[in-house]
Amino acid sequence: MNFVEYSDVIRDGDVVIVYLGHNSLMPVKVQHGAQTQTRYGAIWHSSDFIGRRYGSKVTCSKGGWVLVLHPTPELWTAALPHRTQILYTTDISIITMMLELKPGSVVCESGTGSGSLSHAILRTIAPSGHLHTVEFHEQRAQKVAEEFQEHRVDHLVTVRNQDVCKDGFGVSGVADAVFLDIPSPWEAVGHAKAALKRHGGRLCSFSPCIEQVQRTCEALVDHGFQEVSSLEVLLRVHDVRTVSLPLPDFGPDPAAPAEPGATEEAPPTTVSSHASISLKTTTPPREMPGHTGYLTFATKPRT
């Protein structure tokens, strides 16, 4: 098991996602003889996890049940321990698409943070790509490196603990794409350009403030980047529900043929005043989560 390859059966040492509810997920490392406590009771790894198929329903000691799911980058984003603010799937999906990532791509990333985006990148570039990720904070760099090893994707990633604005990514002329999530991305644009391959590549910068976007765009233009554009992704979830609508009564239809045996004195058939129809519809949310950050994309021209 790892985050870029799928298996059917849970094994000792796997990391599984325990589904407690729609908004409640728990990552658990499976260990023979261990147990995990949930609000529905205890789960014993040896009997409830090891040897079972992913997706199985497990009954806890108090009678409640949970689902044991195969880890994916999307589930990891929803369940991971937050050491920093993280990127969520809404932005991640656009980033991986706009950076044109594919199996075999080489990517440079800074900063690593809690590794939410990193796992999505690794799945996209596997099995032959590589991620060079830079984290300024030493303890966070050590922790995310441990998680990559635990998730069995460490062969696809190199973690460096350094300041990308001063020391760069530690590589030159190898990257197909660069991602920046740092307070002053304009200071790292030169290093990003040096890390990209000579035949060009794509760059993305995530910034919460428009002032950061402005300075980054100026730096991108100064370094010769083209196709500079910024966008904002907002998620709008519609609620699907059943509604009942009354049928209008327009009176008799004069063009309708008369029924056999009907007399001229018989009153025409009309729709009952209580007639209605049920149908499915969607309604937009009354409140919608607002701004998370701006995504700035640019292309390095071929040299």
Side-chain angles (χ1 to χ4, degrees):
M1 185 286 308
N2 62 37
F3 277 62
V4 299
E5 296 177 358
Y6 290 87
S7 58
D8 294 327
V9 179
I10 303 171
R11 298 174 297 173
D12 188 15
D14 284 358
V15 174
V16 301
I17 304 296
V18 177
Y19 179 92
L20 301 165
H22 180 64
N23 292 316
S24 182
L25 302 174
M26 177 191 302
V28 175
K29 183 174 182 179
V30 178
Q31 294 177 307
H32 184 77
Q35 70 174 28
T36 298
Q37 292 291 337
T38 74
R39 62 172 178 260
Y40 303 122
I43 304 172
W44 285 268
H45 294 199
S46 299
S47 58
D48 295 329
F49 285 161
I50 298 176
R52 288 200 177 218
R53 293 181 64 88
Y54 280 103
S56 298
K57 180 188 289 187
V58 173
T59 302
C60 305
S61 61
K62 294 181 180 179
W65 57 269
V66 298
L67 295 175
V68 189
L69 305 179
H70 196 292
T72 65
E74 290 79 14
L75 291 175
W76 181 247
T77 293
L80 61 80
H82 287 214
R83 298 179 291 273
T84 60
Q85 291 290 330
I86 68 169
L87 288 172
Y88 290 92
T89 303
T90 308
D91 287 320
I92 291 173
S93 60
I94 299 296
I95 292 169
T96 55
M97 180 187 73
M98 295 291 286
L99 288 182
E100 303 174 1
L101 302 185
K102 59 185 181 297
S105 294
V106 178
V107 184
C108 290
E109 175 197 27
S110 182
T112 316
S114 301
S116 174
L117 175 64
S118 306
H119 283 79
I121 292 175
L122 290 172
R123 180 182 60 183
T124 305
I125 66 176
S128 56
H130 200 84
L131 173 64
H132 298 272
T133 185
V134 177
E135 172 57 49
F136 176 78
H137 193 276
E138 183 178 1
Q139 291 180 336
R140 288 200 295 262
Q142 293 175 351
K143 183 60 180 178
V144 78
E146 293 172 2
E147 288 177 346
F148 289 143
Q149 185 174 10
E150 191 174 76
H151 300 165
R152 299 170 185 163
V153 293
D154 53 305
H155 62 291
L156 296 171
V157 57
T158 300
V159 181
R160 292 181 174 87
N161 172 222
Q162 60 193 43
D163 185 351
V164 70
C165 296
K166 296 180 179 179
D167 305 318
F169 292 94
V171 294
S172 178
V174 299
D176 298 292
V178 172
F179 177 78
L180 300 174
D181 183 7
I182 54 178
S184 52
W186 56 89
E187 296 181 1
V189 169
H191 294 296
K193 183 178 181 180
L196 288 167
K197 292 180 178 179
R198 292 192 61 186
H199 61 68
R202 294 280 286 165
L203 178 145
C204 177
S205 174
F206 177 89
S207 297
C209 302
I210 193 64
E211 292 81 6
Q212 293 171 304
V213 174
Q214 292 171 332
R215 295 190 64 175
T216 302
C217 290
E218 292 173 355
L220 289 169
V221 172
D222 291 341
H223 282 85
F225 280 84
Q226 300 174 354
E227 300 176 343
V228 179
S229 64
S230 295
L231 57 88
E232 183 179 27
V233 184
L234 298 178
L235 180 64
R236 190 181 189 190
V237 180
H238 283 244
D239 179 36
V240 180
R241 61 191 181 95
T242 302
V243 298
S244 181
L245 298 177
L247 291 174
D249 182 4
F250 296 110
D253 184 0
E259 297 182 4
T263 62
E264 294 183 358
E265 292 78 12
T269 303
T270 59
V271 178
S272 170
S273 60
H274 300 291
S276 62
I277 184 173
S278 295
L279 51 87
K280 293 284 188 181
T281 185
T282 63
T283 56
R286 296 180 180 177
E287 296 181 358
M288 187 175 71
H291 169 76
T292 55
Y294 299 102
L295 295 172
T296 299
F297 295 93
T299 301
K300 177 188 175 182
R302 294 177 180 268
T303 57

